[in-house]
Amino acid sequence: MADKKSSFWKRGNDTKLPGRAQPVANSPDLRPRSKTFEEYEKDTNDAWDDEAEDLSHLSSPVKPLEFNHTGSGEFDVKFSGKKAPLKSRIKEVVKPRSHTTGGMSTSGGGTGVQHSGSDSRRNAPQDTGRIRSMSPPSDPFDDIPDRETIKLQKFGKLLAGPNTDLEQLRKLSWSGIPSSVRATTWQLLCGYLPVNIDRREETLQRKRSEYLKLIDQYYHMRDDSIHKDTFRQIHIDVPRMNPSIPLFQQSIVQECFERILFIWSMRHPASGYVQGINDLVTPFFVVYLSYYISGDKNAETYDLSLLPNSTLNMIEADSFWCLQKLLEGIQDNYTLAQPGIQTKVMRLKDIMKRIDGSLHSHLERNSVDYLQFAFRWMNNLLMREFQLRSVIRIWDSYLSEADGFATLHVFVCAALLLKFSSEIQSKKDFQEIMIFLQNLPTSAWTDDDVQLLLAESFKLKYMFADAPGHLQN
Amino acid sequence: MTSKEEEYDFLFKVVLIGDSGVGKSNLLSRFTRNEFNLESKSTIGVEFATRSIKVDGKVVKAQIWDTAGQERYRAITSAYYRGAVGALVVYDIAKHMTYENVERWLKELKDHADTNIVIMLAGNKCDLRHLRAVSTEEAKKFAEQHSLSFIETSALDSTNVEAAFQNILTEIYNIVIQKAPADGGQGGGGSVSETKVIKIDDQKDEKSGSKMKCCQKGN
Ligand SMILES: Nc1nc2c(ncn2[C@@H]2O[C@H](COP(=O)(O)OP(=O)(O)OP(=O)(O)O)[C@@H](O)[C@H]2O)c(=O)[nH]1
Ligand SMILES: [Mg+2]
């Protein structure tokens, strides 16, 4: 806090990536106090790689960030007058992209990474995107399809090993992972799959058989008197999980979920199974299933009886281990009295107070307590507020951060409130506000909307992480 | 806090509690939106809904908090008991365990709710006749012993859902009227006549941060 006055942009120079856990530590900044724009640009170049790069142009629903706090005129130049509608430009991105990746189906079996076919742009200068991103947006997205291809190629190169550079992979993943490489990338980012390609197959085999042993060891306990309540709870939650997605109505899938959840809770008695954890398995399950079915088939409507049992076992085991990794980072959300959730909701409140005072006081005036609506946002990681496909995209970003499910998540919640700020403020009493917040109109959200939300979250996180006192009075 | 479109004479806060899966959320959606869902999602924390009905010619607005049934959520959900003037304790007539647990739910109320809260016991899923595990007589007797009102409901086929809410709201209304006549007179030990804010139990009210009134006369 002593360093309150120093600009977050300057301290941000330490930060090379979007989404990296920010060193909030008060380590003294030994750098020269002022940097030229060029220096800044050089340092943070890659923070703006790919789609996330154009954060600066976002037409934010908040009042613009107070860049003038930096005291560096360069940034006023850079950020002022650049409210070009990113959204319209992103549209161009999304269409060709889905086309591109749609064609690149991944064949089943193995863990090998599919490489896209030959690509004439292979040798496109790596820096093109960066240069473009930092220069005025004349028409930054004009060669988008190529960029998507380049992106996929970059993934291919990284995943192919021999040792995947996790930092690079995170950087690349933050702005979204092409579906054809998502399964492998998630497993690497979770720390489930080793970076060394030669060890991957062996590791998977070992973990999968280990999981089978866990089933043998624990699953029969579901009838024991001390555990049957846990199993009963899982058993009544799983069928209610995602009523609109046919995949989850299949009993064969429900049984997988019951095993995953029961075994996880047996191994984590400090929290045990808590309603909502079941939701957290679904993204893993769908992404890993997608890996094994041909690209034109939608996992959400897939008939699992078409899948060999052995494959289903692999998906189940992989989902289990990745769920475990995920929950390691947020276990205090689910322990007694759920302190992790309390803390995160307080954090959200604090952020909102600083970035949208008028919304904050509107909520206070109407006696709306953040816990009343944000509890579920934290407990279920917003999975009840978004379509599954949107959640999966959000998780690309969460997984690309060291602590994304705990830290970035709170900023996504904040960005969500900002997004609906004026609508919330148009609701005139407690009841209207609560009903609105319980049923946010996100069902028609497109990839662009999600992308914008994440970009806004990133902006907020960056701002707060590097200058905790930045907006404090 | 009141809107022009929806005027009401009284606002009553009611909580829905009971084991997970007994059908609390469906009772609520049946009552407020006339909807039933075989695969409704589990409730996380609390959810909120309202509906207004007529009692004795007055518009009574029920502000209903539907809570999550799982034990782990107790710490969160019990905070919502404060200021509630009514509680619907729900069990599943086809699952005896959910009926046995009613005692625990009553204890929760005793520990966290205002002392004069009106409690109704509701045996839900009475459409599942062939699976009945709790007899009507047994539950009725239990209710009498604990001076609770009692009803059997089905959110699925709508049996008694209206009646359940109508009954509990009427019961609350009658108590409120007794304590604080609608003419705004000073009743119930310190109700604020000016704004017609009426509370059944004033002792505990102001402790919570929430400014929600358990019961309030609209304008
Ligand atoms: N047959 C029958 N089924 C019902 C009835 N009410 C609810 N159900 C079913 O019971 C299951 C659980 O219902 P919910 O309303 O979600 O239960 P809940 O008490 O809110 O559960 P939690 O939110 O987990 O505390 C769902 O599958 C409902 O469709 C009923 O009256 N009859
Ligand atoms: Mg419920």
Side-chain angles (χ1 to χ4, degrees):
Chain A
M1 291 295 149
D3 209 9
K4 204 186 229 176
K5 282 267 138 120
S6 86
S7 86
F8 68 93
W9 289 110
K10 283 173 196 151
R11 293 224 263 152
N13 291 340
D14 297 329
T15 309
K16 291 269 159 67
L17 321 177
R20 179 85 51 78
Q22 303 290 337
V24 191
N26 301 315
S27 57
D29 185 355
L30 301 173
R31 293 152 192 271
R33 275 261 155 235
S34 61
K35 284 205 157 196
T36 65
F37 176 65
E38 288 83 327
E39 277 173 318
Y40 169 79
E41 187 179 22
K42 218 165 100 208
D43 282 350
T44 54
N45 242 342
D46 47 3
W48 304 90
D49 210 1
D50 293 301
E51 285 102 303
E53 68 203 350
D54 266 288
L55 303 174
S56 53
H57 316 312
L58 290 175
S59 39
S60 146
V62 225
K63 50 184 189 296
L65 297 177
E66 299 170 28
F67 292 113
N68 51 341
H69 275 238
T70 67
S72 56
E74 309 91 42
F75 284 102
D76 295 333
V77 176
K78 174 164 162 32
F79 287 101
S80 62
K82 285 182 56 169
K83 294 275 173 190
L86 176 63
K87 192 163 174 167
S88 62
R89 281 180 284 130
I90 281 188
K91 271 208 179 88
E92 295 163 30
V93 181
V94 169
K95 269 185 240 140
R97 174 211 216 158
S98 51
H99 171 76
T100 311
T101 55
M104 286 178 199
S105 63
T106 309
S107 63
T111 56
V113 173
Q114 291 281 309
H115 290 276
S116 56
S118 67
D119 187 84
S120 54
R121 296 300 180 114
R122 196 178 187 92
N123 298 319
Q126 291 253 331
D127 276 336
T128 313
R130 296 172 183 178
I131 292 161
R132 190 176 46 231
S133 73
M134 297 310 285
S135 59
S138 49
D139 196 357
F141 288 179
D142 47 6
D143 58 345
I144 289 317
D146 300 320
R147 276 181 67 189
E148 287 305 300
T149 312
I150 290 168
K151 184 174 187 178
L152 190 59
Q153 236 172 16
K154 285 186 185 171
F155 268 103
K157 223 183 270 174
L158 277 172
L159 298 178
N163 288 294
T164 298
D165 181 339
L166 275 187
E167 288 308 300
Q168 293 291 326
L169 190 64
R170 289 202 172 113
K171 196 166 83 178
L172 205 53
S173 300
W174 208 94
S175 57
I177 303 169
S179 53
S180 60
V181 292
R182 186 173 268 135
T184 310
T185 305
W186 276 25
Q187 291 179 359
L188 278 159
L189 293 177
C190 279
Y192 175 52
L193 214 52
V195 294
N196 184 306
I197 192 146
D198 296 329
R199 289 184 44 226
R200 283 182 200 163
E201 193 55 50
E202 172 256 321
T203 302
L204 284 177
Q205 275 174 15
R206 184 167 43 80
K207 295 305 271 184
R208 286 165 181 170
S209 64
E210 204 178 310
Y211 175 70
L212 289 179
K213 281 189 210 121
L214 293 179
I215 294 181
D216 279 347
Q217 190 183 340
Y218 290 108
Y219 200 51
H220 63 88
M221 293 177 173
R222 65 190 184 281
D223 299 323
D224 292 0
S225 57
I226 45 165
H227 301 309
K228 69 174 196 293
D229 275 356
T230 299
F231 189 74
R232 190 190 73 92
Q233 189 66 63
I234 292 168
H235 187 68
I236 61 177
D237 284 353
V238 167
R240 292 188 291 170
M241 205 159 48
N242 241 314
S244 59
I245 297 179
L247 176 69
F248 300 117
Q249 303 317 306
Q250 299 171 46
S251 56
I252 188 168
V253 179
Q254 298 188 351
E255 285 158 20
C256 283
F257 274 68
E258 287 178 3
R259 282 189 294 269
I260 291 173
L261 292 165
F262 184 75
I263 289 160
W264 182 86
S265 68
M266 284 301 97
R267 287 163 51 85
H268 297 84
S271 67
Y273 171 75
V274 176
Q275 289 184 292
I277 292 180
N278 54 335
D279 280 354
L280 308 185
V281 186
T282 55
F284 291 121
F285 196 87
V286 164
V287 166
Y288 299 159
L289 172 62
S290 305
Y291 181 83
Y292 292 101
I293 62 181
S294 61
D296 54 340
K297 291 216 182 68
N298 182 354
E300 295 189 8
T301 52
Y302 190 76
D303 175 5
L304 267 201
S305 61
L306 301 172
L307 205 67
N309 239 338
S310 55
T311 309
L312 185 58
N313 289 344
M314 293 193 258
I315 296 169
E316 181 180 332
D318 295 350
S319 301
F320 170 83
W321 291 114
C322 290
L323 174 77
Q324 174 160 311
K325 291 278 186 192
L326 157 65
L327 288 171
E328 269 169 23
I330 52 171
Q331 210 184 336
D332 61 348
N333 281 4
Y334 306 105
T335 48
L336 196 66
Q338 308 193 257
I341 291 186
Q342 305 274 1
T343 312
K344 291 181 184 79
V345 171
M346 290 306 291
R347 177 99 175 105
L348 174 64
K349 184 176 176 174
D350 184 51
I351 293 168
M352 293 314 296
K353 197 157 52 183
R354 298 200 219 168
I355 61 173
D356 193 346
S358 95
L359 172 63
H360 179 77
S361 46
H362 181 70
L363 294 176
E364 289 217 312
R365 215 171 26 250
N366 288 286
S367 308
V368 177
D369 183 2
Y370 284 72
L371 202 59
Q372 285 164 341
F373 61 88
F375 181 86
R376 187 173 78 192
W377 295 8
M378 303 303 170
N379 193 81
N380 287 39
L381 295 176
L382 288 171
M383 290 196 59
R384 292 285 180 91
E385 337 303 321
F386 289 111
Q387 300 289 309
L388 185 55
R389 46 169 292 139
S390 303
V391 169
I392 288 173
R393 168 61 194 89
I394 292 172
W395 283 28
D396 287 346
S397 297
Y398 286 179
L399 284 163
S400 72
E401 302 216 343
D403 197 21
F405 292 94
T407 311
L408 177 61
H409 178 67
V410 178
F411 289 97
V412 172
C413 293
L416 192 61
L417 280 174
L418 279 185
K419 164 91 184 165
F420 290 111
S421 179
S422 54
E423 255 177 288
I424 297 166
Q425 291 184 65
S426 74
K427 309 290 173 208
K428 55 193 171 319
D429 61 17
F430 174 84
Q431 172 187 332
E432 281 189 26
I433 297 169
M434 277 304 292
I435 303 271
F436 180 80
L437 285 168
Q438 282 176 177
N439 306 283
L440 289 177
T442 55
S443 58
W445 271 36
T446 61
D447 292 356
D448 314 8
D449 295 314
V450 176
Q451 194 84 350
L452 282 165
L453 181 80
L454 285 165
E456 184 67 45
S457 319
F458 168 65
K459 207 160 77 175
L460 291 172
K461 176 174 174 263
Y462 198 63
M463 182 169 87
F464 274 81
D466 284 335
H470 177 57
L471 293 178
Q472 248 165 11
N473 307 332
Chain B
M1 289 244 303
T2 59
S3 52
K4 279 259 147 54
E5 295 91 320
E6 245 194 273
E7 291 189 354
Y8 54 85
D9 300 300
F10 293 91
L11 177 67
F12 294 154
K13 176 176 164 183
V14 174
V15 290
L16 269 171
I17 59 177
D19 279 9
S20 177
V22 298
K24 300 178 295 294
S25 298
N26 274 286
L27 279 173
L28 183 60
S29 65
R30 178 62 85 188
F31 178 61
T32 57
R33 303 191 301 273
N34 199 19
E35 281 172 20
F36 176 84
N37 228 318
L38 250 187
E39 258 108 34
S40 58
K41 297 188 175 186
S42 65
T43 306
I44 304 299
V46 288
E47 268 170 50
F48 168 87
T50 67
R51 193 186 138 186
S52 295
I53 60 161
K54 277 252 163 107
V55 176
D56 193 23
K58 295 278 192 303
V59 179
V60 167
K61 182 165 175 170
Q63 186 187 79
I64 305 162
W65 291 91
D66 175 23
T67 64
Q70 200 189 1
E71 181 99 34
R72 180 50 42 91
Y73 291 121
R74 284 306 141 79
I76 297 296
T77 53
S78 62
Y80 291 86
Y81 299 173
R82 182 161 303 285
V85 289
L88 205 59
V89 182
V90 187
Y91 68 92
D92 176 348
I93 65 132
K95 295 253 156 53
H96 202 268
M97 188 50 111
T98 67
Y99 171 72
E100 289 163 40
N101 284 338
V102 165
E103 298 240 31
R104 281 161 69 182
W105 288 107
L106 293 177
K107 174 145 195 322
E108 282 288 311
L109 286 173
K110 208 172 149 216
D111 291 347
H112 301 285
D114 301 344
T115 42
N116 294 326
I117 190 168
V118 174
I119 304 170
M120 173 179 266
L121 182 64
N124 189 40
K125 307 199 189 182
C126 71
D127 55 283
L128 300 175
R129 283 172 211 93
H130 52 298
L131 296 172
R132 180 183 283 277
V134 183
S135 78
T136 310
E137 290 65 40
E138 184 189 355
K140 201 185 256 170
K141 217 168 104 194
F142 176 89
E144 273 163 18
Q145 280 165 4
H146 292 79
S147 25
L148 320 170
S149 40
F150 170 68
I151 195 163
E152 283 189 350
T153 57
S154 166
L156 183 140
D157 67 16
S158 294
T159 303
N160 279 343
V161 176
E162 284 286 319
F165 285 97
Q166 184 83 39
N167 289 1
I168 189 169
L169 292 170
T170 303
E171 214 178 309
I172 296 165
Y173 173 85
N174 288 336
I175 292 175
V176 165
I177 287 298
Q178 254 181 17
K179 282 196 145 194
D183 63 11
Q186 217 41 21
S191 61
V192 186
S193 58
E194 187 86 64
T195 53
K196 311 262 170 74
V197 173
I198 303 156
K199 286 166 187 161
I200 286 193
D201 181 346
D202 293 278
Q203 263 130 31
K204 293 186 183 175
D205 273 330
E206 298 309 328
K207 256 182 152 174
S208 76
S210 168
K211 275 135 235 139
M212 288 313 304
K213 301 306 178 206
C214 61
C215 149
Q216 181 179 55
K217 184 154 172 152
N219 46 6

